[in-house]
Amino acid sequence: MSKQELQVLGQDAACCAGLSAAPLDEDRATDLAKVFKALGDPVRLRLMSMIASRGRGGEVCVCELTPAFDLSQPTISHHLKLLRQAGLIDCERRGTWVYYWVLPGVLDRLAAFLTTPQPAGTAA
């Protein structure tokens, strides 16, 4: 089983530059591609939405996630593992169940990266 971990976005000041601020260097593009690849699957995108919709600090048990899909529990666990490896979520085992939450600031940093400044005098 791979112990590969990805760098979590936003750990330094360079993370905050938006897409239109400057061209991405190769390393930054590689890191971001891994995050967007993790979100590029419909199941993972739905899982991320279900977890994120719990609000700041909210957690969701895997037992609540699995019934929403016509997939086996190991397949759901695999998708959750990929989201964890991309630095989007984290988890904690409590007895039989595993609880998931969105890492603080991750979605805000992705949104800031994708946001382009509006020209002066233009409505958003």
Side-chain angles (χ1 to χ4, degrees):
M1 183 158 125
S2 172
K3 297 281 185 182
Q4 178 184 5
E5 293 293 326
L6 300 177
Q7 177 183 4
V8 177
L9 296 177
Q11 298 301 311
D12 59 13
C15 76
C16 300
L19 183 62
S20 63
L24 290 173
D25 64 31
E26 187 174 340
D27 291 338
R28 181 84 171 121
T30 299
D31 290 341
L32 280 167
K34 291 174 185 175
V35 171
F36 287 116
K37 182 176 180 179
L39 292 172
D41 180 88
V43 171
R44 291 192 291 273
L45 192 56
R46 284 186 60 208
L47 285 166
M48 188 70 187
S49 174
M50 292 172 73
I51 297 166
S53 67
R54 292 296 172 111
R56 295 202 181 269
E59 301 174 340
V60 61
C61 179
V62 70
C63 65
E64 298 174 67
L65 298 170
T66 304
F69 299 89
D70 190 24
L71 298 169
S72 69
Q73 185 277 325
T75 300
I76 296 298
S77 292
H78 172 73
H79 285 294
L80 290 165
K81 178 179 121 180
L82 294 176
L83 291 171
R84 275 192 352 265
Q85 288 177 337
L88 296 167
I89 63 172
D90 204 356
C91 66
E92 176 181 79
R93 178 172 292 282
R94 297 180 197 152
T96 305
W97 302 109
V98 179
Y99 291 80
Y100 292 88
W101 61 88
V102 175
L103 288 170
V106 166
L107 297 179
D108 293 334
R109 287 188 294 273
L110 285 176
F113 172 75
L114 292 172
T115 301
T116 56
Q118 295 291 323
T122 304

